[in-house]
Amino acid sequence: MYQTNIVANTQTILGESPIWSDARQSLLWVDTLQGTLLAFDPKTSAHTSYPTSAPLTFIAENPEKELIVGIGCQLTRFDQQSNWQLIGLAPHSREGYRLNDAKFDAKGRLWCGLMSEQLIENSGYLYSFDQNGCWRTIDTGFTLINGIDWSQDNKTMFVTDSIKRVIYAYDFDLSTGDVSHKRIFTQFSDTDGKPDGLVVDADGYVLSVLFDGSAIARISPNGDDIQFCSLPVKRPTSCCFSENGQVLYLTSARLGLTEQELIESPASGTLLKIDYQKLSEQLANKPLV
């Protein structure tokens, strides 16, 4: 049986956007509603936190190893001296909206979503932001835009709409940053939970955590086969791999849980990890439900 371990008992309200930082040799993530940047050093097991501004929507590391974070509708650069510099404002920014999930592609473009805090249906946008500071509106009609990643050959891009319980796939042109042929890659039922953050593994499987589903879904490269792996938290939010890809880290939330739900799921709000190599071997031999 695979095992999920708590590596940082942070009790975040809404833990999100985990990334492995090569430059810092640490796992970084955010508590969106507390406006806190967090870091975990796997060598020492120490974790630290840096208060910022809320809502702190994501963190990403650019090709120059600088940290780019979303604060509300703003893109900001966070340097090694803990200084903040505004570098961009989302094109459709306005009161009641904020950036959400984000990730850099292999050419150094930042892809991010804008969402209504009231979750107004079809009001969200998908953007790319290039190294010259130029925004492109890529697609519209999202309600809660979330997990973004690419296939190993960079020919397919995956984007999640959590409220619609759908992961979309696009044909992706890495050289131009253009997308086409949008289609449904996977759709989840009401009982599965809401797909949230995602990552693609070395074999092309899409891993999507299921908010309110207490699980992570491992989806085959063609989207036809899904295996569900249970987690000790009701509201997992996102995931990423360690430097060598052998460990899967997962963030989680305490947001909206009742006192009884927190008693039943005491790991809620912590940073978790799974030995992904062992999990993959077990899934290859026998599906887990």
Side-chain angles (χ1 to χ4, degrees):
M1 174 63 67
Y2 69 98
Q3 185 174 359
T4 307
N5 297 308
I6 297 173
V7 295
N9 190 11
T10 49
Q11 302 293 298
T12 53
I13 297 175
L14 183 57
E16 278 285 4
S17 188
I19 63 166
W20 174 258
S21 169
D22 289 329
R24 295 155 185 83
Q25 289 295 292
S26 296
L27 194 286
L28 308 177
W29 74 110
V30 304
D31 186 338
T32 296
L33 299 183
Q34 292 278 57
T36 305
L37 170 62
L38 301 112
F40 170 73
D41 183 341
K43 291 182 179 179
T44 65
S45 296
H47 71 269
T48 53
S49 61
Y50 306 89
T52 65
S53 300
L56 181 60
T57 60
F58 70 82
I59 184 167
E61 190 172 76
N62 69 15
E64 289 73 39
K65 308 305 180 185
E66 298 171 319
L67 297 181
I68 306 300
V69 300
I71 300 177
C73 294
Q74 301 177 347
L75 293 183
T76 62
R77 182 184 291 111
F78 183 54
D79 65 23
Q80 297 278 16
Q81 289 73 44
S82 300
N83 297 315
W84 300 89
Q85 178 188 2
L86 177 66
I87 60 173
L89 184 67
H92 301 89
S93 61
R94 54 193 182 274
E95 186 176 354
Y97 281 72
R98 66 170 173 84
L99 294 167
N100 204 38
D101 218 348
K103 193 169 289 187
F104 281 99
D105 69 17
K107 288 289 188 180
R109 307 178 194 92
L110 181 68
W111 294 74
C112 55
L114 187 76
M115 57 166 281
S116 158
E117 293 177 315
Q118 299 301 315
L119 299 179
I120 298 171
E121 188 175 2
N122 299 326
S123 64
Y125 299 85
L126 174 66
Y127 303 121
S128 70
F129 180 79
D130 68 24
Q131 291 173 305
N132 295 320
C134 296
W135 292 90
R136 291 177 64 195
T137 301
I138 301 296
D139 200 2
T140 62
F142 297 92
T143 301
L144 177 51
I145 195 164
N146 254 311
I148 300 170
D149 206 0
W150 293 265
S151 59
Q152 292 296 325
D153 61 7
N154 283 304
K155 293 183 177 179
T156 305
M157 180 178 181
F158 302 98
V159 180
T160 300
D161 190 321
S162 296
I163 298 300
K164 296 180 181 181
R165 301 178 192 266
V166 170
I167 299 175
Y168 295 104
Y170 299 82
D171 290 347
F172 182 68
D173 187 326
L174 179 61
S175 62
T176 64
D178 292 335
V179 300
S180 60
H181 188 211
K182 181 181 181 181
R183 66 267 188 198
I184 292 176
F185 175 69
T186 304
Q187 184 151 20
F188 295 92
S189 70
D190 290 349
T191 57
D192 290 332
K194 304 177 187 70
D196 201 326
L198 65 76
V199 68
V200 179
D201 76 7
D203 296 316
Y205 285 83
V206 175
L207 306 177
S208 174
V209 300
L210 298 173
F211 190 91
D212 279 332
S214 301
I216 184 167
R218 186 173 186 261
I219 310 161
S220 60
N222 60 11
D224 292 341
D225 181 51
I226 305 178
Q227 296 167 302
F228 295 89
C229 309
S230 61
L231 296 172
V233 292
K234 182 177 177 62
R235 292 183 162 176
T237 54
S238 194
C239 56
C240 74
F241 285 110
S242 61
E243 183 178 22
N244 59 14
Q246 294 184 356
V247 174
L248 181 69
Y249 289 101
L250 304 105
T251 52
S252 61
R254 297 169 65 83
L255 177 69
L257 297 181
T258 66
E259 184 175 343
Q260 183 60 38
E261 287 172 327
L262 289 171
I263 292 172
E264 295 170 354
S265 181
S268 296
T270 65
L271 178 68
L272 306 168
K273 75 172 183 179
I274 294 174
D275 184 327
Y276 189 68
Q277 187 173 8
K278 288 184 179 179
L279 176 60
S280 298
E281 291 170 356
Q282 292 176 18
L283 291 176
N285 295 323
K286 183 180 179 180
L288 297 177
V289 179

